[in-house]
Amino acid sequence: MYRIVYNKLICNNTYELLVEAPLVVEKCMPGQFVIVMSKEDSERIPLTIYDYDKKKGLLYLIYQVIGASTEELSTMKDNIFGVVGPLGNANEICANVDMFKGKRICYVAGGVGIAPVYPQVKFLKEHGFDVDVIYGAREANLLLIRDKIEKVVHKISYATDDGSFGIKGFVTDVLKKNIDKYDIVVAIGPVIMMKNVVLVTKEYNVKTIVSMNPLMVDGSGMCGACRCEVAGKPKFACIHGPEFDGFEVDFDLALKRLNVYKDEEKEKWQQMKKILEGGK
Amino acid sequence: MNDSKVKGRVQSANERVHNFDEVEFGYNEEEALKEANRCLQCKNPRCVQGCPVHIAIPEFIKCIKEKNFKKAYEVISDSSSLPAICGRVCPQEKQCESMCIKGLKGEAISIGALERYVATYALENNLSSTISKEKNGKNIAIVGSGPAGLSCAGELARAGFDVTIYEVLHKPGGVLVYGIPEFRLPKSIVQKEIDSLKKIGVKILCDVFIGNSLTIDDLREKYDAIFLGTGAGLPRFMGIEGENANQVFSANEVLTRINLMGAYKNDAKTPVKKGKVAYIIGGGNVAIDAVRSLKRLGVDARIMYRRSIEELPARKMEVEHAMEEGIPFEFLVNPKKILVDEDNNVVGMEVVNMKLGEKGEDGRASVEEDLSSLHTVSCDMVVMALGTSPNHTALKNSDIKLTDRSLIEVDGGKTSIDSVYAGGDAVTGAATVILAMEAGKNAAKEIIEQFKN
């Protein structure tokens, strides 16, 4: 059991969960993720690490309620059954700051993708980098953790689909205009956004790192559910990723593979809603 | 005189394809006595040589004859720490029973079924080998709670060591829990074996990914010795076109969802894909477990194996049970390509017939494709059960030596790093439960030796 400090709604269907998990945060690095389980019989949910306090052993996570298991997680109050991690590899830049000194870096985040972007930008600031961020969402009130991210960026630009904050348009519109300023782009968000970012960066041959979020079961390399096609070869996001060279990822395949369990998930969500209503 | 073995009672095939309850009921006392009485009590017992852990088989069978089941359990426990499991999952027909003198002219003694009977008796009567010595003050870390780790832990705890097992999943047991299905090895049996380890002081910490959460160096600071029983690793795929289609899964994924996550129950929170027609590619135990599990979920599940029935590596009993359950086996055929629709859904496979060639050094026939036989089969799900390749997350930042097959190199059970031992599939590549147990036990003996005095 892992003690919940808080598990609160921060916007729309998005929650912030703070949980005690000292063994997870002791060694964690930006870019890594964890798997959480609400109860003993729950699904294993992979979530990217958003923030951590190594001294206090606290782990910060942000998640969106998008199905049965995240719905269940949002109802957890005192403890959750499981947190395992850190899983996957650290972000390439954060893990090799000396190699990347002097590089001009831009992060592109979409929606809750800002959560895994935040610890990377914060880490890089602490290591002397000035990092720009382009952050997009459908509308203004879906932009998350603005106060936190603004404290660690060099410059941040916003884009919303409806123009309710920042420019009206997509993150790629902002990126296109500024692409000559950067040596490296890191894109984290919906697969379609990462695909579109790579379409821009590839044209200008700017190295691009993306973070994949496929379906996953064990998270330790045992099952292969999370495989992505990278440079024509299957790679496991849990062990070989979650970050890959954006030029090499087959995004169309990744998009299709996200739908593997769509029907089953719909059904489970209905079941879960009934269970949760019954419990009230 | 009719001297055929006492057949074990099983759930009828018609009935069991609709549930996940154990297929075999196991002997009752009468049956066990009758079967034990068939044993000739050879002076020079060949069966013992056939057993990877050299259980004193005639001796425990003699105890059964004398109805001294407690003593029989003690005899088995001298050599094996998980008899309830091995009695169920060992490939006896290739080990002890293959050597039985009775098998030359008739049917071998059902040693596995007798072992299982004794183990069941022990579990029901709460006999556990709690004989543990005084603590010797030495701390041992074990990485992985599968058969290698569990048997190593049991051996060490009984010898007075303080043992802590680290497990990455949320439940201990490794392949016994995520891999082998309920109908072959009830999870309550595994749980009882784990509970009996806890009773003798073994600590189990789940949710810890050694290599990431803690490194081997961290463990070396805290513990006097380490045993790595990290298991077989990453599931293999064929590398053919269409293999990343939506409904192509590893057998490990299918089994993990069903066994570890309980997806066979209607109210389970984790789903498992149920295609209409599923081909399971491979012929090992994992393939048979996957095909039988899917069959029980209402899928028209079939085996496709590139060699012939004689080469099937799976445990014989499981193959027989699968065939009784009406599972089609397609031999000497292999996929060349997985066919998908525009949404990346599986619609079939292009397959090719295979021809058996000369037997290689390992005694298995080589196979070769008959390209003139290329044809398609339709299906909407494909499950790859092709073995594994090593996963060395646990070894991160350590300079443990690997073999040219990228497995952990050991001398006996010792790795290239002082006081770090390894065994099981991480050392041998995918093998059997009993071999992993043996490796765990042997490493334990070496650890005990290291700390003598």
Side-chain angles (χ1 to χ4, degrees):
Chain A
M1 285 294 188
Y2 299 77
R3 194 177 75 85
I4 292 173
V5 179
Y6 60 72
N7 185 13
K8 63 183 185 195
L9 186 67
I10 54 171
C11 121
N12 207 20
N13 62 348
T14 306
Y15 288 75
E16 184 176 323
L17 170 64
L18 179 60
V19 64
E20 273 177 8
L23 203 52
V24 173
V25 297
E26 193 182 312
K27 285 217 158 38
C28 81
M29 282 283 291
Q32 290 186 294
F33 64 98
V34 295
I35 282 182
V36 302
M37 289 178 77
S38 297
K39 299 177 183 169
E40 192 172 357
D41 65 347
S42 296
E43 209 173 5
R44 298 169 63 90
I45 312 172
L47 294 172
T48 331
I49 293 169
Y50 149 55
D51 202 359
Y52 44 84
D53 182 331
K54 297 206 176 203
K55 270 189 209 133
K56 292 182 183 158
L58 295 176
L59 173 69
Y60 294 74
L61 300 166
I62 284 182
Y63 64 94
Q64 243 178 332
V65 173
I66 49 161
S69 297
T70 39
E71 174 104 48
E72 182 183 40
L73 182 60
S74 72
T75 66
M76 300 308 291
K77 289 191 178 75
D78 305 322
N79 299 289
I80 52 173
F81 173 75
V83 183
V84 58
L87 303 172
N89 299 294
N91 166 261
E92 186 187 335
I93 308 170
C94 296
N96 304 284
V97 278
D98 293 339
M99 251 171 65
F100 289 92
K101 273 272 143 69
K103 297 284 185 203
R104 299 166 304 164
I105 303 164
C106 178
Y107 276 78
V108 182
V112 286
I114 195 69
V117 161
Y118 171 73
Q120 303 197 15
V121 177
K122 181 179 160 193
F123 184 93
L124 290 175
K125 184 182 167 70
E126 285 162 8
H127 288 81
F129 288 77
D130 285 330
V131 175
D132 289 352
V133 172
I134 304 170
Y135 181 25
R138 276 204 322 279
E139 51 186 66
N141 63 1
L142 297 179
L143 293 165
L144 308 169
I145 60 164
R146 277 183 43 209
D147 50 337
K148 278 185 88 167
I149 190 82
E150 282 172 12
K151 280 188 194 127
V152 292
V153 296
H154 175 247
K155 179 173 176 271
I156 186 162
S157 322
Y158 294 98
T160 48
D161 296 7
D162 63 355
S164 50
F165 198 83
I167 69 133
K168 181 175 176 351
F170 298 115
V171 284
T172 39
D173 299 328
V174 184
L175 180 65
K176 229 180 268 175
K177 277 189 200 140
N178 299 286
I179 188 74
D180 54 343
K181 290 189 199 155
Y182 303 114
D183 304 310
I184 301 170
V185 169
V186 183
I188 307 180
V191 176
I192 188 72
M193 181 209 87
M194 296 192 283
K195 179 189 171 179
N196 288 329
V197 166
V198 168
L199 285 177
V200 174
T201 55
K202 216 170 192 171
E203 198 185 323
Y204 296 89
N205 198 26
V206 176
K207 178 185 165 79
T208 307
I209 299 169
V210 297
S211 179
M212 302 305 287
N213 55 346
L215 301 185
M216 201 172 272
V217 184
D218 66 289
S220 62
M222 197 211 20
C223 86
C226 65
R227 61 195 196 280
C228 304
E229 206 163 291
V230 182
K233 294 222 161 66
K235 293 279 179 196
F236 293 6
C238 69
I239 289 290
H240 306 122
E243 297 188 355
F244 294 107
D245 180 341
F247 291 1
E248 294 184 337
V249 173
D250 185 335
F251 292 105
D252 292 331
L253 184 82
L255 275 169
K256 288 171 181 165
R257 285 183 58 84
L258 282 175
N259 291 327
V260 173
Y261 273 97
K262 214 173 172 184
D263 296 341
E264 288 84 352
E265 277 163 6
K266 236 183 236 165
E267 194 188 307
K268 296 281 175 201
W269 202 357
Q270 292 308 319
Q271 274 182 16
M272 179 63 70
K273 280 179 173 155
K274 274 186 200 148
I275 294 170
L276 292 174
E277 274 166 24
K280 268 176 195 167
Chain B
M1 187 184 125
N2 178 10
D3 188 35
S4 49
K5 67 180 179 189
V6 179
K7 275 201 127 184
R9 286 161 294 117
V10 295
Q11 259 200 87
S12 79
N14 288 338
E15 198 181 316
R16 70 183 188 241
V17 293
H18 301 295
N19 68 51
F20 274 76
D21 298 340
E22 196 170 12
V23 170
E24 295 182 67
F25 296 121
Y27 284 159
N28 57 28
E29 186 178 319
E30 188 194 333
E31 291 162 332
L33 287 173
K34 200 172 162 201
E35 182 66 11
N37 277 317
R38 292 180 61 232
C39 175
L40 299 174
Q41 293 289 309
C42 303
K43 286 239 163 57
N44 183 13
R46 289 154 38 104
C47 51
V48 179
Q49 299 161 32
C51 171
V53 296
H54 308 298
I55 294 175
I57 294 166
E59 211 179 316
F60 95 74
I61 294 182
K62 186 160 168 271
C63 298
I64 298 178
K65 288 186 190 189
E66 293 162 356
K67 293 199 190 180
N68 190 346
F69 305 119
K70 184 166 178 278
K71 178 87 188 298
Y73 176 68
E74 283 162 13
V75 172
I76 297 176
S77 294
D78 275 344
S79 313
S80 167
S81 34
L82 308 164
I85 293 166
C86 291
R88 287 172 167 83
V89 303
C90 262
Q92 289 96 357
E93 78 279 2
K94 289 182 191 145
Q95 300 174 354
C96 51
E97 293 177 16
S98 76
M99 307 287 278
C100 176
I101 200 90
K102 282 220 143 185
L104 291 179
K105 284 189 180 158
E107 287 185 304
I109 305 293
S110 298
I111 301 167
L114 289 173
E115 180 187 23
R116 173 181 163 163
Y117 176 75
V118 173
T120 306
Y121 177 90
L123 286 176
E124 282 171 358
N125 292 280
N126 284 319
L127 306 179
S128 64
S129 37
T130 46
I131 11 144
S132 99
K133 285 192 194 159
E134 245 176 69
K135 292 273 174 209
N136 65 8
K138 299 290 176 200
N139 294 307
I140 312 293
I142 290 179
V143 183
S145 65
L150 292 179
S151 72
C152 187
E155 210 66 33
L156 290 171
R158 277 188 284 272
F161 289 82
D162 210 320
V163 181
T164 306
I165 304 182
Y166 290 92
E167 167 59 46
V168 63
L169 293 173
H170 58 279
K171 262 186 215 160
V175 71
L176 307 172
V177 165
Y178 75 74
I180 304 176
E182 181 74 17
F183 56 80
R184 199 148 84 77
L185 177 63
K187 300 310 147 219
S188 58
I189 299 280
V190 181
Q191 193 53 51
K192 278 183 184 160
E193 296 283 13
I194 287 166
D195 289 344
S196 67
L197 285 181
K198 286 185 182 164
K199 256 188 244 163
I200 57 172
V202 173
K203 291 181 278 291
I204 304 181
L205 299 176
C206 288
D207 284 349
V208 187
F209 199 12
I210 300 300
N212 280 16
S213 321
L214 290 168
T215 62
I216 286 187
D217 281 344
D218 295 330
L219 294 180
R220 290 183 78 199
E221 275 174 31
K222 283 172 72 177
Y223 296 92
D224 298 295
I226 301 165
F227 173 75
L228 302 170
T230 48
L234 317 172
R236 266 209 202 114
F237 290 89
M238 296 183 78
I240 57 174
E241 199 181 322
E243 208 169 10
N244 290 323
N246 293 353
Q247 297 82 8
V248 178
F249 306 97
S250 77
N252 265 5
E253 177 182 350
V254 170
L255 290 171
T256 300
R257 285 176 179 272
I258 293 174
N259 300 322
L260 178 72
M261 308 309 292
Y264 64 94
K265 299 171 201 151
N266 279 333
D267 59 350
K269 292 171 183 169
T270 301
V272 64
K273 187 57 84 182
K274 295 171 212 160
K276 286 192 183 71
V277 179
Y279 275 100
I280 287 75
I281 316 299
N285 284 317
V286 173
I288 307 296
D289 284 345
V291 80
R292 296 175 73 199
S293 296
L294 288 170
K295 172 87 183 178
R296 280 160 172 72
L297 294 171
V299 178
D300 175 354
R302 310 161 180 193
I303 288 283
M304 180 175 282
Y305 180 52
R306 61 185 185 146
R307 290 186 165 91
S308 76
I309 187 164
E310 280 84 39
E311 286 83 19
L312 272 179
R315 187 173 184 253
K316 196 173 154 226
M317 182 73 89
E318 310 312 326
V319 174
E320 284 172 13
H321 283 163
M323 287 180 169
E324 286 167 19
E325 286 160 14
I327 289 165
F329 282 66
E330 297 180 18
F331 293 108
L332 291 165
V333 56
N334 210 30
K336 287 288 280 178
K337 184 178 171 181
I338 289 157
L339 307 170
V340 297
D341 68 10
E342 59 198 9
D343 294 321
N344 199 39
N345 295 315
V346 173
V347 294
M349 288 190 293
E350 202 171 274
V351 301
V352 65
N353 294 345
M354 307 295 282
K355 285 185 293 199
L356 284 182
E358 305 256 311
K359 280 193 179 170
E361 268 177 31
D362 58 354
R364 293 175 86 198
S366 64
V367 276
E368 131 188 19
E369 293 177 342
D370 171 9
L371 282 172
S372 67
S373 68
L374 215 56
H375 59 287
T376 61
V377 293
S378 57
C379 62
D380 58 357
M381 179 169 174
V382 179
V383 178
M384 297 293 176
L386 307 163
T388 52
S389 58
N391 177 357
H392 292 317
T393 305
L395 312 180
K396 251 187 215 174
N397 304 325
S398 82
D399 44 11
I400 280 192
K401 258 196 207 144
L402 301 177
T403 66
D404 47 12
R405 286 171 62 208
S406 191
L407 298 162
I408 301 174
E409 190 175 291
V410 290
D411 176 9
K414 290 189 178 85
T415 69
S416 60
I417 300 183
D418 186 39
S419 297
V420 179
Y421 297 76
D425 285 1
V427 166
T428 56
T432 59
V433 169
I434 184 77
L435 286 172
M437 270 187 44
E438 184 200 15
K441 196 181 131 184
N442 288 342
K445 282 184 185 156
E446 289 184 53
I447 293 171
I448 293 167
E449 192 60 33
Q450 183 188 331
F451 294 101
K452 252 186 185 166
N453 313 316

